Amino acid sequence: MTIVPVSLGERSYDVRIEAGLLDRACDALESYATSRPFLVITDEHVAARQWPRLETSLAKAGLQTELVVLPAGESTKSWRHLEALTDRMIEHGIERRDHVIALGGGVIGDLVGFAASIVKRGCHFIQIPTTLLAQVDSSVGGKTAINSRAGKNLLGAFHQPSLVLIDPDTLDTLGRREVAAGYAEVVKYGLIDDTQFFEWCEANGPALLEGDGQARAYAIAKSVAAKATIVAQDERETSGKRALLNLGHTFGHALEAETGFSDRLLHGEAVAAGMALAFGYSVRRGECSGQDAGRVSAHLRAVGLPVSLADVGVTASGARLVEHMLHDKKMSAGTLPFLLARGIGETYLAKDVLLDDVADYLDDLPR
Ligand code: NAD
Ligand code: GLY
């Protein structure tokens, strides 16, 4: 088993990563049991495909459970479901010292984490992420949220889990498109500050996408360790360090908004195209070599991820796409910092970007 500590003083916790861990989850969860059954929150897809493994493991150890099954999809990160879930937690008799369990992708993790942050002014939660995106990104670091009418993730809290259990085998039941979308976030860690890891991705990404167990476990452990390091330095995204994790997200956000935050473009796919656009824009500014930008696009394309406006079917003008960026929650004092790159593994936060120049860049790209 790989154990990655997330060092945050009294909010520190471990991320445990091991193939088959879900079938042995009782070993890790036993010490969190109380006189009440564990409340496990999941979605309908994960309930059918992965919950039976967790239920069997907990039952073997004599641990009682109650399951809450929510609809799958982004629309579950809503006031309506937050209200219903918090009501259910209170009816269940949750106390501040109790732990609820989030079993699922980023939608379930974000919703359950937010509910845990407010019930009884904060109870505990454990993340058992079942998508690659949740395993390498959203389950670690304590960002929790629901969406508001005005935009994605606008209502939320920083609330760290007590434990994260990652079983890469859960990805066996996840569709290839979802795995590829999560893989974009893996590549992101290489592009931020780890050239060698990007090279590893170039060599091993295709095998990972085909389900190679060793590649999967290595990429997850490496990604979690990279995220844990950044979160430990800048838990609340105040120093600019954690902002590096948003590489590709500003361009990606515009693409997601333009495609209606729908299944037309998954979040990780938008991040892939957004990272390629950020590298392209860095080349235009004379800061990054065309060769590095070409390598980024070539690798993402090789695993089936989109890298251009044409790939995602977006024909909107640069001005319209920039308008979407202005609604991004990263706006600060009327300016929008951009994550740009001086090369692979050399991402930095640029605060001097002129939005008109970004619009011109986007207008010059083929549709
Ligand atoms: P998701 O939770 O919607 O899961 C994607 C789909 O896969 C769903 O249909 C789900 O039911 C299904 N699924 C999950 N695990 C499965 C499995 N093992 N087998 C079969 N099907 C399975 O989406 P996601 O991509 O995991 O997460 C996206 C969410 O994460 C977004 O809301 C995004 O805002 C959020 N996010 C949060 C953070 C953070 O730091 N908190 C970071 C990145 C993304
Ligand atoms: N996914 C970005 C962050 O956790 O900060």
Side-chain angles (χ1 to χ4, degrees):
M1 175 175 331
T2 302
I3 300 182
V4 180
V6 183
S7 304
L8 291 167
E10 60 184 12
R11 292 181 306 288
S12 297
Y13 53 95
D14 283 344
V15 181
R16 300 189 195 182
I17 306 159
E18 189 179 40
L21 187 57
L22 200 56
D23 303 310
R24 300 183 284 281
C26 58
D27 298 339
L29 296 176
E30 209 157 13
S31 63
Y32 297 92
T34 65
S35 54
R36 278 173 294 284
F38 273 119
L39 200 59
V40 180
I41 300 100
T42 194
D43 75 24
E44 56 202 340
H45 297 153
V46 183
R49 293 167 182 84
Q50 297 297 335
W51 160 244
R53 295 178 57 204
L54 179 60
E55 183 182 29
T56 305
S57 165
L58 294 177
K60 251 191 323 210
L63 299 172
Q64 305 289 312
T65 49
E66 259 183 52
L67 185 67
V68 178
V69 183
L70 301 177
E74 188 65 31
S75 56
T76 295
K77 275 174 58 173
S78 64
W79 271 118
R80 187 164 72 84
H81 287 292
L82 179 71
E83 185 179 19
L85 176 57
T86 50
D87 282 350
R88 179 74 188 267
M89 286 165 68
I90 291 163
E91 275 163 29
H92 190 75
I94 290 288
E95 296 178 5
R96 275 191 192 163
R97 64 195 168 94
D98 288 349
H99 290 75
V100 293
I101 299 176
L103 173 72
V107 163
I108 289 297
D110 279 13
L111 173 73
V112 173
F114 189 30
S117 79
I118 55 176
V119 167
K120 307 268 173 94
R121 297 203 176 91
C123 64
H124 301 289
F125 77 118
I126 292 167
Q127 291 265 25
I128 308 185
T130 61
T131 62
L132 184 58
L133 182 137
Q135 293 177 349
V136 301
D137 188 357
S138 65
S139 65
V140 178
K143 279 190 182 174
T144 74
I146 60 168
N147 303 323
S148 94
R149 254 195 293 271
K152 264 192 76 172
N153 295 327
L154 291 181
L155 304 164
F158 285 96
H159 188 56
Q160 300 292 343
S162 306
L163 176 70
V164 182
L165 299 180
I166 301 181
D167 178 354
D169 286 354
T170 57
L171 304 180
D172 288 344
T173 60
L174 190 66
R176 192 192 185 282
R177 186 180 170 201
E178 291 285 356
V179 178
Y183 178 71
E185 304 277 8
V186 172
V187 175
K188 182 183 77 177
Y189 294 109
L191 296 180
I192 290 174
D193 63 1
D194 191 342
T195 314
Q196 275 186 347
F197 185 50
F198 179 75
E199 285 164 3
W200 182 92
C201 288
E202 288 181 307
N204 298 283
L208 185 158
L209 270 283
E210 293 313 315
D212 181 291
Q214 268 187 341
R216 241 169 21 186
Y218 179 79
I220 293 167
K222 191 84 182 151
S223 301
V224 168
K227 181 151 186 185
T229 301
I230 289 177
V231 168
Q233 290 169 11
D234 183 19
E235 183 183 8
R236 290 183 168 244
E237 207 167 311
T238 46
S239 76
K241 186 74 188 172
R242 186 162 182 169
L244 294 175
L245 295 172
N246 295 326
L247 175 63
H249 285 60
T250 301
F251 285 102
H253 178 85
L255 302 177
E256 281 182 284
E258 186 59 24
T259 49
F261 291 101
S262 66
D263 283 355
R264 232 182 101 189
L265 186 66
L266 301 178
H267 175 71
E269 293 171 337
V271 169
M275 293 192 298
L277 292 172
F279 268 76
Y281 183 58
S282 303
V283 173
R284 180 183 167 105
R285 279 168 53 106
E287 292 169 349
C288 175
S289 72
Q291 198 187 4
D292 271 13
R295 259 178 86 188
V296 173
S297 291
H299 177 54
L300 294 170
R301 191 166 265 150
V303 294
L305 285 163
V307 296
S308 66
L309 297 183
D311 285 351
V312 297
V314 161
T315 55
S317 68
R320 183 174 162 89
L321 294 171
V322 165
E323 182 62 31
H324 289 310
M325 293 177 191
L326 296 179
H327 297 294
D328 195 311
K329 62 185 175 317
K330 291 181 278 300
M331 278 289 284
S332 165
T335 63
L336 187 57
F338 273 77
L339 273 307
L340 299 180
R342 299 192 179 97
I344 289 169
E346 293 178 76
T347 293
Y348 77 101
L349 192 63
K351 294 187 175 158
D352 63 342
V353 173
L354 298 175
L355 293 175
D356 285 349
D357 191 48
V358 175
D360 287 347
Y361 160 67
L362 292 168
D363 278 335
D364 289 346
L365 297 174
R367 300 292 195 272

